[in-house]
Amino acid sequence: MATVLLTGFEPFGGESINPSWQAAQALDAVWLDDEVQIRAVQLPCTFADSLQTLEQNISRFKPALVLCLGQAGGRTDLSFEKVAINHIDARIADNAGAQPIDQPVIAQGPAAYFSTLPLKAMLSHLHQAGFAASISYSAGTFVCNQVFYGLMHLLQNQPQVRGGFLHIPYSPAQVLGKQQASMSPELVVQALKVCLPVALQTEQDWLIAGGTLD
Ligand code: PCA
């Protein structure tokens, strides 16, 4: 049996929900097939504790693959993050009131890490199934990027474990009366059921174009 660890965040920035946790939670204990079970964990939206919670659960579940989810209000599609940078610059305070500015995630760590998920193959399958999804080249400089960087730093020593980060749009409930893009957590769940098996089964990512010009 193999485990996929999904994480989502608690609400932050004045919101009362975080669709990243709603989507992850809905998949907790779900079997992708006879061999692979998903486990979901909520991470605190704090610089101080989020990485520790992630690391504890990686030790606990010994997953074959870790996908962390986060809300990125304003994004219009499923944004698979390619790059985690060793830089924190919090525009708002986290849920503990901390607002670190211009600090590394890990002192003396490399400038950046790449996702080790086969993003092109995953995107192809998602597009074929009708989901709006793309690769993003910035996970921001807040808690999500910190968690993504910390995850990839940790997995340096566990190369058999794949890791990545997915930013998702607001949920429809968060944008009522606003001119903002949204995607329902149920749709995110459906998309994850399409792309997680691809992530587990694809050894070598596909060599197809998917970049941006800006
Ligand atoms: N989004 C924030 C942190 C938690 C979340 O869901 C971010 O993009 O950094």
Side-chain angles (χ1 to χ4, degrees):
M1 180 201 136
T3 301
V4 167
L5 178 62
L6 280 185
T7 69
F9 280 98
E10 63 185 5
F12 72 102
E15 297 287 333
S16 58
I17 56 168
N18 189 324
S20 70
W21 174 237
Q22 292 181 316
Q25 187 179 29
L27 285 166
D28 186 40
V30 167
W31 291 82
L32 278 176
D33 59 30
D34 292 347
E35 299 284 303
V36 183
Q37 190 185 34
I38 298 174
R39 297 309 309 267
V41 167
Q42 189 184 60
L43 302 183
C45 189
T46 65
F47 287 102
D49 296 326
S50 51
L51 263 180
Q52 206 186 342
T53 305
L54 176 67
E55 289 176 15
Q56 281 166 355
N57 282 283
I58 290 175
S59 300
R60 176 177 169 209
F61 290 115
K62 303 193 173 31
L65 188 150
V66 184
L67 180 62
C68 299
L69 312 182
Q71 164 198 312
R75 299 267 177 112
T76 57
D77 64 1
L78 298 163
S79 301
F80 287 86
E81 300 296 346
K82 176 76 181 176
V83 192
I85 60 173
N86 193 13
H87 185 65
I88 295 171
D89 185 0
R91 189 169 50 75
I92 58 171
D94 71 10
N95 284 0
Q99 191 173 0
I101 294 169
D102 292 355
Q103 291 180 16
V105 177
I106 307 239
Q108 264 84 57
Y113 287 110
F114 286 142
S115 169
T116 48
L117 300 179
L119 298 182
K120 299 290 182 66
M122 292 164 71
L123 277 188
S124 287
H125 280 81
L126 285 169
H127 290 161
Q128 215 157 21
F131 293 97
S134 62
I135 296 175
S136 158
Y137 295 90
S138 172
T141 55
F142 194 49
V143 180
C144 286
N145 175 73
Q146 185 209 29
V147 161
F148 183 22
Y149 185 93
L151 168 68
M152 300 320 298
H153 188 73
L154 184 75
L155 296 186
Q156 280 291 97
N157 301 320
Q158 304 177 48
Q160 74 287 359
V161 183
R162 287 181 152 183
F165 197 98
L166 171 62
H167 262 130
I168 65 173
Y170 282 131
S171 83
Q174 292 174 290
V175 299
L176 285 175
K178 299 181 191 158
Q179 298 285 333
Q180 291 262 33
S182 68
M183 188 181 285
S184 73
E186 293 75 22
L187 203 62
V188 177
V189 164
Q190 294 310 316
L192 289 170
K193 286 182 177 168
V194 169
C195 69
L196 286 174
V198 177
L200 286 164
Q201 286 153 21
T202 307
E203 295 263 313
Q204 193 74 33
D205 199 8
W206 298 1
L207 204 57
I208 50 175
T212 61
L213 296 184
D214 52 6

